[in-house]
Amino acid sequence: MSSAEDPARPTPGTSGAAGPGPWGRDGGVRRVMGVETEFGISAPGEAQANPMLLSGRVVHAYASPSGSGGGRGTRSRRATRWDYADEAPLRDARGYEVDRARAHPSQLTDVPPDVAASQAASAGTALHVAEELEEAGLANTVLTNGARLYVDHAHPEYSGPEVTTPRDAVLWDLAGDEVAREAMRRIAASPGLGDVVLYKNNTDGKGASYGTHENYLMPRSTPFADIVRALVPFFVSRQVVTGAGRVGRGQTGDGSGFQLSQRADFFETEVGLETTLKRPLVNTRDEPHATADRWRRLHVIVGDANLCQVANLLKVGTTSLVLATVEAGEAPDLALENPVAAVRAVSHDPSLTHLLTLRTGERLTAVQLQWRHLEAVRAFVERRQGAAVDADTAEVLERWEQVLTDLEADPMRCARQLDWVAKLRLLEGFRTREDLSWDAARLALIDIQYADLRPERGLHARLVARGAVETLHDQAAVARAVVDPPEDTRAWFRGECVRRYGDEVAAASWDSVILDVAGRTSLQRVPMLEPLRGTRASTGALLDRCPTAADLVLALTGGRPAG
Amino acid sequence: MAPQEQRRHERREDEPDEVPAPAPTTTARTSAGDAEVDDLLDEIDDVLEANAETFVRSFVQKGGQ
């Protein structure tokens, strides 16, 4: 192994693309972050189809060669496998590890799904299908843009590459939507394969929910209890900005009516390790995918999938800023009474009038609670940056203020920026025109079809095509992000290795690339434990000098002979 | 549109009192974009799946994270 030579080692002065670290402490919005999306999936012609196999069909369609040497965002003849070596899904941020034997099989994400299933001793269809997928190499691939596309439980998941700004988080999330569309197109064009439709939503309205997770890199030194204290009231209130809207109330949609969030009804506890059952508002999974004594990766599972780009920008931007105040020890104390019940109450109140109760006894609406957060963040940024606020931070602050102002005046003013408002505008229009009650099937249909990713069928896609929602990135930029990795994180090294060395990349993960090089008997594992190394600035020249993976290994091992 | 989709009652009797009524205070009709909304609805009519009832019932997902 060549681990003595971290390729991602920075040349002096280039450890970060944007100023001095540690991230989050420069009083701005920038930090290493990323968004994962589990897509809803259906096969119109195959009602009984196994969702794992359907999801495998999506990964395979995108990853496999299509005559022109691999998928648009892939380069190998085989799908790049995942390196599970550094995964630790049972490690809890509160300082202990869950016994494997007591964990739910869905928590064992550090081994291929077939192994997880057999460890849980649950033989049967799931085990069989998972084995079939893994053996065929269909369960996972790493894209040239640094993302991971794989089968997660019963859904295809796109885990975007690490980025450092909210704008880039939105861009590479949009790239994931485009990856999903391309996979659907390829399946549709394949004779003998039934069509698959993908949805960017988080519930079927019948009891199932699947996640859109945000990841934020934080210094390990920040006490986890401080993070929890600050995030709970923030998550309760941010739904007024980030909610994607939902028709129906309760996990199975028994109650009629509209609510702000797809996910709100699925959270049952304040803090916890689980992600598939007893879901917590703050998830404690402590799997940093980075140098563990320096970093933690905050894994946020409470959010909705956003199609509106402004809502998506605000989701990651405002969260990153609140975390910056926590890291500085300057977060306001806005602790709520009964936060789990409060999440639902806020989501179930599109009039935005519900009063939340702080532990101090003060009562205020979710929008007012968001104002409190904005005021605290703005004061914090001013203390750190003065009048010269960096552009990424300034954009988030300005848009945040505008959206809160508009929500207080008339929520419909946010129909071009926020998903729940855009969706509600369509629903109210239909309800009024056709005199429908909230349990009308056509309203539930609009809810589902809003998130259909097909350009011709998806209602949000139609809004974009009409210019009825605001966009932050044009089509050309999204097309580039489908293929190219962000340049200012280790995603650049990962994506470029896949692009340049294709078949010689045996496996990869967030913090490693494993090369299978001709003439070497063992696999060469390149560790990348620092997310801000492996940038274009620090490794571009090295890769340019190395036309093959063998050259790269030679360069990294200081020119030692093959072994 | 199926007759059973017609408006019946705004509130269910078993709904807890503290839950606000489903209808928001503002509607699409109050905003300046009425014409735009009408245009949108006309376009969406052409895009919506034909049999709403069946489609919604068959949209069933397995749980995820």
Side-chain angles (χ1 to χ4, degrees), chain A residues 38 41 152 155 204 206 208-209 211 249 254 263 275 279 410 428 433 435-436 449 457 462 466, chain B residues 1 7-8 12 19 24 26 39-45 47 49 55-56 59 61-62 64-65:
Chain A
E38 288 178 64
I41 184 165
D152 188 17
H155 301 271
D204 63 359
K206 302 174 187 67
S209 185
R249 292 176 178 183
D254 293 343
R263 287 281 269 180
T275 56
R279 291 186 184 90
D410 175 4
E428 285 289 10
R433 196 178 77 178
D435 193 28
L436 300 174
Q449 244 182 289
R457 285 288 192 179
R462 305 299 296 191
R466 293 175 58 98
Chain B
M1 175 180 44
R7 183 189 303 270
R8 284 171 301 204
R12 294 185 164 206
V19 176
T26 52
D39 272 8
L40 272 176
L41 297 184
D42 289 343
E43 176 173 339
I44 283 165
D45 268 334
V47 175
E49 299 284 345
F55 183 90
V56 170
F59 185 76
Q61 300 289 304
K62 291 283 186 194
Q65 294 216 50

Side-chain angles (χ1 to χ4, degrees), chain A residues 109-238:
Chain A
T109 56
D110 56 340
V111 290
D114 56 333
V115 181
S118 61
Q119 283 184 351
S122 64
T125 313
L127 172 58
H128 168 73
V129 169
E131 273 177 345
E132 197 177 313
L133 286 173
E134 195 66 24
E135 277 169 19
L138 302 183
N140 184 77
T141 191
V142 180
L143 309 184
T144 60
N145 74 354
R148 179 189 188 192
L149 179 66
Y150 72 115
V151 179
D152 188 17
H153 303 281
H155 301 271
E157 172 166 329
Y158 169 88
S159 295
E162 303 92 327
V163 298
T164 65
T165 67
R167 267 196 171 257
D168 279 355
V170 173
L171 179 58
W172 270 275
D173 189 54
L174 287 166
D177 302 348
E178 200 49 50
V179 165
R181 288 192 190 96
E182 177 66 14
M184 287 192 282
R185 280 193 289 269
R186 288 182 183 208
I187 291 168
S190 303
L193 277 189
D195 284 1
V196 167
V197 183
L198 297 173
Y199 297 85
K200 196 178 182 184
N201 58 11
N202 303 103
T203 182
D204 63 359
K206 302 174 187 67
S209 185
Y210 31 101
T212 301
H213 299 171
E214 303 142 63
N215 298 284
Y216 303 93
L217 197 70
M218 302 182 72
R220 173 66 61 179
S221 54
T222 306
F224 196 74
D226 292 359
I227 299 172
V228 174
R229 197 176 307 119
L231 283 183
V232 168
F234 176 68
F235 285 163
V236 168
S237 55
R238 79 170 189 172

Side-chain angles (χ1 to χ4, degrees), chain A residues 234-383:
Chain A
F234 176 68
F235 285 163
V236 168
S237 55
R238 79 170 189 172
Q239 301 175 84
V240 300
V241 175
T242 63
R246 180 183 162 200
V247 174
R249 292 176 178 183
Q251 294 193 358
T252 57
D254 293 343
S256 68
F258 179 83
Q259 62 172 313
L260 304 187
S261 165
Q262 292 261 303
R263 287 281 269 180
D265 287 342
F266 296 90
F267 288 85
E268 298 172 21
T269 182
E270 204 170 325
V271 185
L273 186 58
E274 294 88 352
T275 56
T276 56
L277 49 141
K278 283 189 300 179
R279 291 186 184 90
L281 298 179
V282 179
N283 182 235
T284 55
R285 183 184 291 182
D286 189 1
E287 195 180 29
H289 298 313
T291 311
D293 55 1
R294 287 191 68 194
W295 303 114
R296 70 166 79 249
R297 173 185 63 120
L298 182 71
H299 187 233
V300 174
I301 67 170
V302 78
D304 285 5
N306 286 118
L307 285 152
C308 280
Q309 298 177 26
V310 174
N312 215 5
L313 180 91
L314 287 173
K315 179 170 68 183
V316 292
T318 62
T319 305
S320 182
L321 285 168
V322 167
L323 293 175
T325 66
V326 177
E327 288 161 351
E330 298 174 34
D333 181 7
L334 297 167
L336 286 168
E337 297 285 353
N338 301 319
V340 176
V343 168
R344 278 172 220 190
V346 168
S347 183
H348 290 195
D349 171 32
S351 71
L352 309 181
T353 55
H354 177 81
L355 289 174
L356 299 163
T357 306
L358 299 189
R359 289 213 185 121
T360 58
E362 191 182 3
R363 288 163 67 80
L364 68 185
T365 67
V367 176
Q368 287 165 342
L369 188 50
Q370 279 287 291
W371 276 115
R372 294 287 179 87
H373 284 100
L374 171 57
E375 285 157 9
V377 163
R378 193 189 290 286
F380 166 77
V381 170
E382 276 169 16
R383 284 195 294 276

Side-chain angles (χ1 to χ4, degrees), chain A residues 435-437 439-440, chain B residues 3-12:
Chain A
D435 193 28
L436 300 174
S437 69
D439 34 21
Chain B
Q4 67 268 26
E5 287 190 2
Q6 298 292 343
R7 183 189 303 270
R8 284 171 301 204
H9 49 84
E10 283 291 334
R11 272 176 87 85
R12 294 185 164 206

Side-chain angles (χ1 to χ4, degrees), chain A residues 90-111:
Chain A
L90 302 182
R91 196 167 301 144
D92 194 294
R94 291 165 294 187
Y96 52 85
E97 187 140 1
V98 170
D99 183 353
R100 293 191 81 79
R102 298 181 60 185
H104 188 267
S106 65
Q107 287 180 272
L108 303 178
T109 56
D110 56 340
V111 290

